[in-house]
Amino acid sequence: MAEFSLEINGKSHTVEVDPDTPLLWVLRDHLKLVGTKYGCGIAQCGACTVHYNGSAVRSCQLPVSSVAESEITTIEGLSENGDHPVQKAWLEIDVPQCGYCQAGQIMSAAALLERNPNPSDTDIETAMNGNICRCGTYTRIKAAIKTAARSQTA
Amino acid sequence: MSKVKTGIGRRSFIKSVSLAGGGLVIGFNWMACKRAAEAEAEGTAVLEMPDEWFELNGYLKVGDNGVVTIFSPNPEIGQNVKTSMPMIVAEELDVDWNNVVVEQAPLNTDVFTRQLAGGSQSIRQGWETLRMAGATARQMLVMAAANQMEVPAEELTVENGVISHKNSDQSLGFGEVAGAASKLEVPTEVELKNNADFRIIGTSRKNVDAKKIVTGQPLYGLDTYKDGMLIAMIVQPPAFGMELKSMDADKVKEMPGIVDVFTIDTYPEDMEKEWSDVAAFSKLAVVVGESTWQVLKAKKALNVEWDLNPELTKEIEILEKSAGMKDATGLENTDIHYSLMADVGSKKAEVVRKDGEPEKAFENAARVIERSYTCPFLAHNTMEPMNFFADVSGGKAELVGPIQTPEYAEKSIQKRLGMELEDIDVQMTRMGGGFGRRLYGHFLVEAAVISEKMGKPIKLVYTREDDMTNGVYRPAYHVTYRAALDGNNNLTAFHVNAGGIPESPLFANRFPAGALDNYLAESWTLDSNISVGAFRAPRSNFIAGAEQSFLDELAEEMGKDPIEFRLEMLDRAKNDPVGEENDYDPARYAGVLEMVRDKSGWTSNSSTGARGVSAYYCHNSYVAQILDMSIENNEPVIDKVVCAVDCGIVVNPDAATNMVEGGTIDGIGHALYSEMSFKEGVPQMSNFDKYQLIRHKQAPKAIEVHFVENGIDPTGLGEPPFPPVQGALANALYKATGQRFYKQPFINQLKNTSSDLKT
């Protein structure tokens, strides 16, 4: 066990955990930030996607010891009132079915738009290919990303 | 309007709602202040909560300020009933949807009739009761207003939660009369609206949980964290056919954060099981600790010995062969499964339906076309793995988590723990997918047994690997179709011989039964120790695609357009049906085919790529799909799928469209990419690196959904779009490659022959 200070959603947190504990479980078990989901544990499904210094990463494969002092953003901190353009687009298109993967999808989409404000269909498919949606909301996710892109550039 | 007795249905509605107790209700302890449905979804205004609630029946309560809480009775697995079921109540209540708060109802079999997510039945079977719930409450509110205004109730009109008397220019809000209404008797007869008067049903309303989903609020079973709660994980046998022999837990017990390590027997032999208690492994090793990661590490370090389970490994003789257990180990193999199915499937089997003289027609045939189709086991792979919270202590059990069958789960706990039903509280969370997997609540029973043993609250968490390798899988199926053609290329007989491990996918009375004078349906099964169960559109999820592929090939052999060919047969089934057991409506079947033909421009062949069609009826709904695709860089690219759907009245059109889109993608994904195979009983896919699920790049570029408008009472949508698209895909693949596809997942054949593909 060791103590780690983390910068999550603009707030400082201190946790005492094993150094190899993945960020995912620190978020969920220790900080009760449960918006970041467990899906596979091997970075294959994207349900656990968070932003790490602005990039989309899989928190299930990120030991807490490697992220201390970095800036982490989770779905809970993507916006203060749930009004990030991607979140708004998700509501407008009414994307979710079961909804379990959607936080990860949104975090991947937000990171995509951050580096590419006007992505093509292929850009979207490539950037989002690591996020599985078992309900099959892919066409709506693509539509929502385009809606968010339009709203950001408008 | 039509008057209906409130006592109709499977149970007296009056009796049900009376049991809920009317009158003043000041908040349930499980009720937290919530935003209104629409406001929630749009992230706009927050409703002010009333000071007092008045419960008019078990489905709803009205606040003194006119805000209405509607309880959604059924489990939510992503099929969106948490929005659509309350919409039906709100419709008959005549409340402004913006003033509605939706809550997941508690499990209460006294009030609610079928709290189950399965068979696409929530809307269909809830339709009448949900309408009565709204209509009786509306009538009580109107009566109370009439009393207060001192005018006849018949002269009152209701709109958006306001009751008006035009002649005397009086109006009262629901909140103003809710208290008086709650003291009135529940009416024995109510008027239901005519379809033409619907204001909410048939209009698109946003998912009531959407805002919480996109902001990451706790919603799912796995999000349950309670004070003093420990994390539990199981260690299960590595192979079907094996069982726990011994365990050396000493070292693991010393690991940091580990509280206890022990074994459990979830289902002792003398326990009377519910149908939902399907589980391959009863004896499990259990690790309990303080945090998920600590338990995960301990679970990996745990030394467990396994043995062959003699109960599951005895020789099973089938047609002079042992089914997958030739070596008497009982450790089954996928390659043996396939060869056994092909062998058994080529022989005579149990005749389930016979019309006319099919054997004679085949003897006299000028040509017989015979094709066999097969598919693998599938894992459900809900994105949220199996999990459940359990707190069994002080003679009571509190269980919180994702379960499609809470009523059965409660009974299982009653039997397993020897408790009274009233001491068991099963709470339904939103589920990260169901697809049939969570019909089988063994994980809930395991959680309860573990909690009882610990005397502490625990949350049982399956890893993805546990989830995928401890499946209640979609069975492997096999079907052979034969068609007899005479010298003039007329279809004179049709023969289907279907079976599987361990159930048959046959629906003997579905199309094309009823459309042919000579028809034969046979069925067989092979035994197995691999646990199986319902998977989205059970049995239809394979046989639809197979049948629709065969009809496509048959139409081609007969020189007919595949849609015209089907319509001709449906015409026969409509005008001069054969047999009396046909379980589909030929007119509605033909309706979706005609609609998809027209909407897709089939006749003008406007498609630039390869195109396939399919149509199927299951779970009371009709779906036809036309799929356009091409092959690019040896990969299938699905350009577009056009869907025509007849599910009667569409309660929530945009959400229904979403469901059809999702079912279409899911159907394509599983037919094209997914399989679970076994080697010596060991599931060969244990996570998403090996088990292929369809991803963004592989999804159709566009999906168009059209609904038939016929005003018929609604049927379900969770399952019906899933099966037929597999046939449309196979038929389009044929057009794209020149090859027929008989074995799922199709990607294997596509990869093997990709160099020969026409592009």
Side-chain angles (χ1 to χ4, degrees), chain B residues 637-657:
Chain B
V637 177
I638 318 284
D639 299 304
K640 190 175 184 180
V641 185
V642 181
C643 311
V645 181
D646 181 354
C647 59
I649 293 165
V650 181
V651 175
N652 191 2
D654 186 52
T657 300

Side-chain angles (χ1 to χ4, degrees), chain B residues 341-342 345-346 362 367-374 478-485 494-498 542-543 545-558 731 734 738-743:
Chain B
M341 288 199 292
S346 67
F362 275 101
R367 201 148 62 104
V368 173
I369 296 163
E370 177 179 323
R371 301 287 183 267
S372 294
Y373 303 79
T374 191
H478 183 279
V479 61
T480 299
Y481 289 102
R482 291 166 72 229
L485 300 177
F494 192 90
H495 176 201
V496 50
N497 175 315
F542 161 70
I543 204 151
E547 171 202 294
Q548 292 292 309
S549 298
F550 185 66
L551 291 184
D552 198 75
E553 197 166 347
L554 192 52
E556 188 185 40
E557 293 285 345
M558 295 167 71
N731 299 336
Y734 167 65
Q739 297 178 20
R740 290 285 176 181
F741 286 72
Y742 301 107
K743 186 174 182 180

Side-chain angles (χ1 to χ4, degrees), chain B residues 367-386:
Chain B
R367 201 148 62 104
V368 173
I369 296 163
E370 177 179 323
R371 301 287 183 267
S372 294
Y373 303 79
T374 191
C375 71
F377 287 84
L378 291 176
H380 295 78
N381 290 329
T382 60
M383 288 311 291
E384 180 194 16
M386 299 307 114

Side-chain angles (χ1 to χ4, degrees), chain A residues 56-68:
Chain A
V57 296
R58 309 296 184 231
S59 63
C60 72
Q61 288 290 294
L62 214 53
V64 65
S65 55
S66 71
V67 299

Side-chain angles (χ1 to χ4, degrees), chain B residues 360-597:
Chain B
K360 202 169 154 191
F362 275 101
E363 270 169 35
N364 296 332
R367 201 148 62 104
V368 173
I369 296 163
E370 177 179 323
R371 301 287 183 267
S372 294
Y373 303 79
T374 191
C375 71
F377 287 84
L378 291 176
H380 295 78
N381 290 329
T382 60
M383 288 311 291
E384 180 194 16
M386 299 307 114
N387 67 86
F388 232 86
F389 169 87
D391 186 2
V392 181
S393 57
K396 290 193 184 294
E398 183 193 11
L399 296 141
V400 184
I403 184 78
Q404 290 178 247
T405 48
E407 293 185 29
Y408 292 95
E410 202 179 45
K411 288 178 195 157
S412 298
I413 298 298
Q414 178 191 30
K415 285 173 183 158
R416 178 59 178 84
L417 300 186
M419 297 175 87
E420 297 300 323
L421 277 182
E422 52 265 33
D423 293 325
I424 303 163
D425 178 23
V426 177
Q427 295 166 33
M428 294 174 263
T429 55
R430 187 180 185 84
M431 282 176 254
F435 309 106
R437 179 61 180 84
R438 296 190 222 270
L439 294 167
Y440 310 102
H442 60 87
F443 47 89
L444 169 150
V445 182
E446 290 157 11
V449 172
I450 295 166
S451 175
E452 186 192 41
K453 182 149 182 142
M454 295 296 295
K456 286 187 173 141
I458 62 104
K459 181 170 66 179
L460 173 66
V461 178
Y462 273 40
T463 63
R464 173 58 56 194
E465 289 82 2
D466 296 337
D467 188 287
M468 208 181 282
T469 60
N470 188 352
V472 185
Y473 302 108
R474 193 282 297 271
Y477 296 123
H478 183 279
V479 61
T480 299
Y481 289 102
R482 291 166 72 229
L485 300 177
D486 67 14
N488 296 321
N489 240 2
N490 294 315
L491 178 60
T492 54
F494 192 90
H495 176 201
V496 50
N497 175 315
I501 306 172
E503 70 166 9
S504 168
L506 180 72
F507 291 95
N509 297 320
R510 284 192 184 163
F511 181 77
L516 300 149
D517 289 315
N518 300 305
Y519 172 85
L520 177 65
E522 292 176 279
S523 187
W524 51 269
T525 60
L526 288 172
D527 223 333
S528 170
N529 59 31
I530 297 167
S531 44
V532 299
F535 182 106
R536 192 175 203 170
R539 305 187 283 151
S540 304
N541 59 35
F542 161 70
I543 204 151
E547 171 202 294
Q548 292 292 309
S549 298
F550 185 66
L551 291 184
D552 198 75
E553 197 166 347
L554 192 52
E556 188 185 40
E557 293 285 345
M558 295 167 71
K560 290 189 175 181
D561 173 82
I563 294 181
E564 282 306 314
F565 172 54
R566 287 170 174 83
L567 290 175
E568 280 171 23
M569 285 202 283
L570 287 163
D571 213 38
R572 166 74 201 274
K574 187 179 159 194
N575 297 321
D576 181 20
V578 180
E580 282 166 10
E581 303 286 312
N582 306 326
D583 66 357
Y584 60 95
D585 178 339
R588 293 180 77 179
Y589 221 128
V592 290
L593 265 167
E594 284 160 352
M595 184 183 234
V596 83
R597 178 188 62 192

Side-chain angles (χ1 to χ4, degrees), chain A residues 1 17-22 25 27-30 32-47 60 75-79 81-83 86-88 90-103 105-106 121-122 124-142 145, chain B residues 40-43 76-78 80 205-207 210-211 213-220 222-223 225 231 256 290-294 296-297 379-385 430-433 435 459 461-465 535-536 654-655 657-659 661-663 665-666 670 687-689 693-703:
Chain A
M1 297 281 254
V17 293
D18 290 344
D20 62 351
T21 308
W25 295 112
L27 293 171
R28 292 185 59 85
D29 276 0
H30 302 275
K32 305 294 184 278
L33 290 167
V34 297
T36 305
K37 300 302 189 203
Y38 167 67
C40 69
I42 60 164
Q44 288 290 313
C45 78
C60 72
I75 186 73
E76 291 92 342
L78 184 62
S79 62
N81 302 311
D83 56 359
V86 172
Q87 289 169 314
K88 282 164 76 175
W90 243 250
L91 295 176
E92 187 185 328
I93 305 291
D94 212 17
V95 174
Q97 287 186 26
C98 88
Y100 191 80
C101 74
Q102 299 296 348
Q105 305 275 3
I106 288 168
D121 281 16
T122 310
I124 294 172
E125 287 166 17
T126 304
M128 302 300 294
N129 211 45
N131 288 79
I132 295 175
C133 173
R134 176 67 182 77
C135 300
T137 61
Y138 295 129
T139 44
R140 284 196 179 225
I141 288 170
K142 193 187 273 178
I145 292 173
Chain B
E40 176 92 6
E42 287 169 0
E76 173 62 63
I77 57 175
N80 209 26
R205 307 290 166 152
K206 307 271 193 211
N207 183 329
K211 187 68 187 284
I213 291 168
V214 305
T215 54
Q217 300 309 300
L219 276 173
Y220 304 91
L222 207 58
D223 300 343
Y225 284 88
I231 300 290
E290 288 164 7
S291 74
T292 310
W293 186 244
Q294 289 170 321
L296 250 172
K297 286 205 286 188
H380 295 78
N381 290 329
T382 60
M383 288 311 291
E384 180 194 16
R430 187 180 185 84
M431 282 176 254
F435 309 106
K459 181 170 66 179
V461 178
Y462 273 40
T463 63
R464 173 58 56 194
E465 289 82 2
F535 182 106
R536 192 175 203 170
D654 186 52
T657 300
N658 195 352
M659 189 51 48
E661 291 166 353
I665 292 174
D666 196 16
H670 280 94
N687 208 322
F688 296 131
D689 53 341
L693 287 175
I694 192 167
R695 289 174 179 271
H696 276 274
K697 272 185 190 171
Q698 299 155 332
K701 308 298 172 201
I703 301 174

